[in-house]
DNA sequence: TGATTACTTAGCCATATGGCTAACCAACTT
DNA sequence: AAGTTGGTTAGCCATATGGCTAAGTAATCA
C-alpha cells in the first residue's frame, strides 16, 4: 500500500469518516479510477464502508493500522541488525585490505 | 526495493562481497533475469560492482543502507502520530455515538 | 415526473515488473 | 586451437498497476 493516493486517503480518514466523493474531491482523477483505490483499501482491510441511500461512508480500521506500525517496528529492528553486520563487515575488510 | 530476490541478495552481501554467479546460485531463475535485479540494486545505489577478468564482484554500499534505516525510523514516527490521531478519533466518536 | 447526484460496472489503454530463451563476447582452461 | 565459464544483450511474454471514457443504476431534489 505504498501508493500516494491511498496514503493520502488514509491520512484524510484520520480526521474522521468521509464519503467517497468527499475523499475524491482533492484528487485530480476520474471517479472510477479513484474508486479502485478505495476498493483496494477495503480489500486490504484498512478501511470499511457502508452505503446509506446513495452515498457510501468510508471508515478507517484501527486494528490493521496498529499492525502496520508493528510491522514497521519489526522492519526497523531488522535494519538495525543489518547495519550492525555491515559495520562488522567494514571493519573486517579494513583489517585485510586486499 | 520490496522485491524478495533483491532483499535476499542484500542479505547475502552483508556477509561480504560476492560475484554475480555466487549471488545467482541460490535463486532458481535464469541468469539474465537475475542480472536485472542486480542492475536495479546498482541503479538504486545500494550496491556497486567492478569487473575483473570475466567475473564481476558486487559490494554493498553502507550509506544508502543507513538512509534506508533512517527512512524506516521516520516512517515509524509518522505511524505513531497516526495511531495517536486514530485514538483521538475513536474517543471522539465514542462520545457522540450517532 | 424529470433532472441531478452519487456511485458503479464494463472495458480500453499505457507502462512497469519479473520472468523466459537465444545468441553473443571475452576470459580462462585444457 | 578448442572448449568451458561468466557475464551480457536483445527480444519476447504474462501479469499487475493506475489511469481513462461511456454508460448504467438508484436515490434525492425541484
Amino acid at each position: 500500500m505504498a501508493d500516494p493516493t491511498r496514503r493520502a486517503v488514509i491520512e484524510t480518514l484520520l480526521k474522521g469518516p468521509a464519503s467517497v466523493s468527499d475523499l475524491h474531491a482533492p484528487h485530480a482523477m476520474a471517479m472510477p479510477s479513484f474508486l479502485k483505490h478505495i476498493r483496494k483499501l477495503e480489500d486490504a482491510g484498512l478501511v470499511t464502508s457502508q452505503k446509506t441511500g446513495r452515498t457510501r461512508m468510508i471508515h478507517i480500521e484501527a486494528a490493521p493500522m496498529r499492525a502496520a506500525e508493528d510491522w514497521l517496528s519489526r522492519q526497523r529492528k531488522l535494519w538495525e541488525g543489518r547495519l550492525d553486520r555491515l559495520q562488522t563487515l567494514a571493519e573486517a575488510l579494513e583489517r585485510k585490505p586486499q
Side-chain angles (χ1 to χ4, degrees), chain A residues 12-13 15-19 22-23 57-60:
Chain A
T12 305
L13 284 174
K15 298 199 283 262
S19 72
D22 285 352
L23 291 172
M57 293 300 282
I58 314 293
H59 313 261
I60 199 163

Side-chain angles (χ1 to χ4, degrees), chain A residues 7-8 19 21 25 31 39 49-50 52 62 64 72 79 85 90 95:
Chain A
R7 279 204 310 249
S19 72
S21 15
M31 256 294 274
R39 297 292 188 214
S49 75
Q50 60 219 22
T52 346
L72 268 177
W79 278 88
R85 278 181 280 161
R95 271 196 303 281

Side-chain angles (χ1 to χ4, degrees), chain A residues 24-89:
Chain A
H24 174 220
H27 300 275
M29 182 185 307
M31 256 294 274
S33 313
F34 184 75
L35 242 193
K36 279 193 192 174
H37 290 295
I38 300 292
R39 297 292 188 214
K40 283 192 183 175
L41 287 173
E42 258 190 291
D43 291 349
L46 292 173
V47 132
T48 54
S49 75
Q50 60 219 22
K51 197 162 178 173
T52 346
R54 59 189 164 164
T55 86
R56 177 179 294 280
M57 293 300 282
I58 314 293
H59 313 261
I60 199 163
E61 278 298 307
M65 296 287 285
R66 274 189 261 285
E69 212 252 335
D70 286 355
W71 183 87
L72 268 177
S73 255
R74 279 198 312 278
Q75 290 299 312
R76 233 206 86 222
K77 273 172 201 144
L78 270 177
W79 278 88
E80 249 172 34
R82 281 173 190 155
L83 282 181
D84 284 354
R85 278 181 280 161
L86 195 52
Q87 178 74 21
T88 314
L89 174 60

